[in-house]
Amino acid sequence: MSDEDLTFEDSYRDSDEDVEDVEDEDDYVDDDDTDLNFTDVVAEKDRKKNYEVDFIVHSIEGIVKNQDDEVTHVSNILGIQKQHAATLLRHFRWNKERLIERYMEDSTEVLNKAGVITDNARTPKFIKIPGFICDICCDDDEDLDTLALSCGHRFCKNCYEHYLTQKIKEEGESRRILCMASKCNVIVDEKTVELAVNKDIHERYRTLLNRTYVDDNEYLRWCPAPSCEYAIECHVPQTSLTSIVPTVECVCTHRFCFGCGFPDHQPSICVLVKKWIKKCEDDSETANWISAHTKECGKCHSTIEKNGGCNHMTCRKCKYEFCWVCMGPWSEHGTSWYNCNRYDEKTSIDARDQQAKSRASLERYLHYYNRFANHEQSAKLDRELYNKTEKKMEEMQQTSDLSWIEVQFLKKAVDILVQCRMTLKWTYAFAFYLARNNQTDIFEDNQRDLEMAVEQLSELLEKPIEAEKIAELKQQVLDKTVYVGSRREVLLEDTAKGLLESRWEFQVDIKS
Amino acid sequence: MSALFTKRLSKELVDLKINPPVGIEVTEADTFKSWKLTLDGVDGTLYAGERFTLEFRFSPNYPMESPEVVFTGNIPIHPHIYSNGHICLNVLYNQWSPVLSVRSVCLSIQSMLSSCTCKEPPPDNNHYVKTAKASPKQTQWSFHDDSV
Ligand SMILES: [Zn+2]
Ligand SMILES: [Zn+2]
Ligand SMILES: [Zn+2]
Ligand SMILES: [Zn+2]
Ligand SMILES: [Zn+2]
Ligand SMILES: [Zn+2]
């Protein structure tokens, strides 16, 4: 791989965590020392986890270089000029193998279809033609420069320049710019563009063409974070998305799904994520009341406002301890008979008439939506709380002898907490579509264990920080953070394995 | 304003005035920003005897960019014409080519009306009219059926 490329293992992985192997049969990943050493390391460590996928982060420079390498390769194999090899590769959406195969079968047809003219005498150039009238600008000047693409439609240079500038600058097009004639499907080739537009526009055109390399390539995707310019390479095909959730992390720290581009949605598969989001949009009015920040205490009915992520609430007035999500007593939440995450299907089975059925189905949806939305909200509150805490810690650093390093444990804890809440959030979308079988109990147990751990960590982080007790708190937080991380791993691993083994049954068709 | 833009529109205007297509007449063309034309329903079709008004709005990038074309006033009832005057016709959007003109667009719309066999609004009319932006060019059109 090129120098500019950053592989994930040197960009974000913690050295003490398990490492992953890099796909080695990849076309443009050249062997270099790092890769070789790396393989040795992998051999001693555990194999890759089921919920993780291999990926490489590429910079723009890396993308351009990979592209050039592919073009040079094809140009050498087929014995054609580089610009033609580039057009052919674009036409074949960078599927090099298919291009070479088809070219060997019938080179003339391949060249024609891609709009490539290898005959030098026929390379595009602007010429003057006596008596010519341009159909677009109606100009009939004697010394009008004109050009026709392989389709024969001829227009003046001025019109080409206006048209191409409009397409490139205003519409951001590059590879698919068509001939100006109505209903003509011939593509304006790179050489013609270069002849017709000014330097700036041509540069913009080249940049856009570079972007299409990523857009057209099934195994590449731009990092969707705003103004991030890295692209991720991942060799999970679209056809595998019903059994894998390919989650990648850019060097900008944005975690997202390579399959659909959505922010990290493990353990839900892409199609369920899409269905769930659609459902939530359609039912947003019914579910609106949930997002409310305030609720009433179940005992004394005084209004309670939530200001942290933790769902263990204590009423200030009557000291009643309850769960924010289900409003049930908290005493049931810290024990093995914790049931907050499970939906009691009994109510829907009992429902006989239509009205009761639809009420039961709404209740079932609200059970999952409530928990989904709550983790999202809690993650935000956890972050806010951390920001406040951070300020306080800075103050403490000045008054006590704490070092900067010593207070970092909180940041890491909040990062893990927020990540686990995202995972939990999506477990509820997943569970909503899950059809009950003997496997669902395992899933719900894992979900419960993670949720309990998360709430405990969240509660720890809400504790007031006192300088003299910081060592004690730090140890508690560190232990809990490790535990929470391991619960998440257990859940993700089992869900991912279940997907690969088709252990899960869904209430909806996931192939459509 | 580009020379191409004014030259092309002046030429089109002269051409429409000297040699107007049957049932199409320019009624307002004081500026190069917007024109109004009347379009008569063709005899022997569902729209015979009716007169409609089309408004063309041109950007300085015309004809590289398509004009914005809508019906105003009396809107024809047609499966591809919304009651706010927006027209679902591919040459006005993704199939626009700079060789097309005001004349060719009017003729396309006229033929779209003439081939209509059932005077009814688009099935999604109410929803579309409620949610559409002022300019039809901001709509993501999908063209299912060119035969109506
Ligand atoms: Zn011209
Ligand atoms: Zn052509
Ligand atoms: Zn990024
Ligand atoms: Zn996805
Ligand atoms: Zn109370
Ligand atoms: Zn609860």
Side-chain angles (χ1 to χ4, degrees), chain A residues 223 225 228 230 250-252 254:
Chain A
C223 169
C228 177
Y230 287 92
C250 180
V251 286
C252 76
H254 182 60

Side-chain angles (χ1 to χ4, degrees), chain A residues 38-57:
Chain A
F38 200 57
T39 322
D40 295 334
V41 177
V42 170
E44 290 167 25
K45 294 263 183 172
D46 288 340
R47 289 300 300 167
K48 184 171 58 86
K49 300 185 187 72
N50 281 304
Y51 66 90
E52 290 176 329
V53 291
D54 296 325
F55 59 92
I56 305 169
V57 182

Side-chain angles (χ1 to χ4, degrees), chain B residues 13 16-17 25-38 53-56 58 72 102:
Chain B
L13 189 57
L16 280 167
K17 285 196 163 153
E25 192 189 340
V26 182
T27 53
E28 216 183 287
D30 306 331
T31 68
F32 288 138
K33 275 203 179 118
S34 94
W35 294 358
K36 280 190 176 149
L37 295 96
T38 53
T53 304
L54 276 172
E55 184 172 345
F56 279 70
F58 308 100
T72 64
V102 175

Side-chain angles (χ1 to χ4, degrees), chain A residues 243-408:
Chain A
S243 57
I244 300 174
V245 189
T247 310
V248 299
E249 181 167 312
C250 180
V251 286
C252 76
T253 74
H254 182 60
R255 281 176 67 81
F256 66 98
C257 168
F258 185 83
C260 67
F262 218 77
D264 178 8
H265 60 64
Q266 273 178 324
S268 268
I269 49 175
C270 299
V271 48
L272 294 182
V273 168
K274 237 169 261 150
K275 283 186 198 288
W276 176 255
I277 289 171
K278 174 85 173 41
K279 173 149 187 72
C280 293
E281 271 169 11
D282 293 351
D283 295 356
S284 64
E285 271 162 42
T286 349
N288 241 350
W289 59 273
I290 293 154
S291 56
H293 255 271
T294 55
K295 285 185 184 173
E296 243 178 40
C297 166
K299 277 232 167 105
C300 73
H301 302 289
S302 57
T303 307
I304 293 168
E305 195 181 343
K306 199 159 183 271
N307 52 13
C310 175
N311 289 314
H312 178 182
M313 307 300 290
T314 306
C315 173
R316 241 181 251 183
K317 238 177 145 182
C318 73
K319 305 289 177 225
Y320 173 54
E321 291 182 53
F322 63 98
C323 164
W324 178 262
V325 180
C326 66
M327 301 304 278
W330 188 258
S331 51
E332 294 173 8
H333 282 70
T335 63
S336 53
W337 39 288
Y338 170 89
N339 238 352
C340 185
N341 64 322
R342 272 175 233 266
Y343 178 69
D344 183 6
E345 301 275 355
K346 220 176 111 254
T347 39
S348 41
I349 294 163
D350 288 349
R352 291 182 195 277
D353 60 283
Q354 204 43 53
Q355 207 191 347
K357 270 202 184 100
S358 77
R359 190 164 359 104
S361 105
L362 176 66
E363 251 173 47
R364 183 177 180 276
Y365 164 65
L366 286 177
H367 170 89
Y368 293 105
Y369 177 76
N370 194 352
R371 283 148 184 84
F372 174 89
N374 189 65
H375 280 297
E376 186 161 75
Q377 182 63 25
S378 292
K380 255 184 228 145
L381 294 171
D382 287 332
R383 266 266 175 255
E384 274 169 29
L385 183 76
Y386 169 71
N387 291 339
K388 272 186 235 151
T389 315
E390 194 185 27
K391 245 192 222 122
K392 203 166 137 198
M393 307 253 297
E394 271 165 26
E395 288 163 21
M396 283 171 62
Q397 266 181 57
Q398 283 151 17
T399 54
S400 69
D401 51 0
L402 284 171
S403 70
W404 181 82
I405 289 290
E406 268 179 296
V407 299
Q408 286 310 295

Side-chain angles (χ1 to χ4, degrees), chain A residues 202-244:
Chain A
H202 186 242
E203 222 157 81
R204 177 84 191 122
Y205 173 73
R206 299 295 330 171
T207 310
L208 289 167
L209 269 187
N210 282 341
R211 294 200 70 97
T212 67
Y213 173 68
V214 174
D215 296 339
D216 286 352
N217 200 315
E218 196 190 351
Y219 300 121
L220 288 171
R221 193 188 260 279
W222 294 106
C223 169
S227 73
C228 177
E229 296 217 306
Y230 287 92
I232 314 282
E233 177 184 348
C234 174
H235 288 256
V236 172
Q238 289 285 317
T239 46
S240 302
L241 293 180
T242 49
S243 57
I244 300 174

Side-chain angles (χ1 to χ4, degrees), chain B residues 55-66:
Chain B
E55 184 172 345
F56 279 70
R57 288 174 218 135
F58 308 100
S59 87
N61 286 326
Y62 181 82
M64 298 312 165
E65 200 181 294
S66 67

Side-chain angles (χ1 to χ4, degrees), chain B residues 9 12 16 35 37 56 58 62 100-106:
Chain B
L9 279 177
E12 281 197 52
L16 280 167
W35 294 358
L37 295 96
F56 279 70
F58 308 100
Y62 181 82
L100 298 176
S101 59
V102 175
R103 171 191 291 267
S104 66
V105 167
C106 286

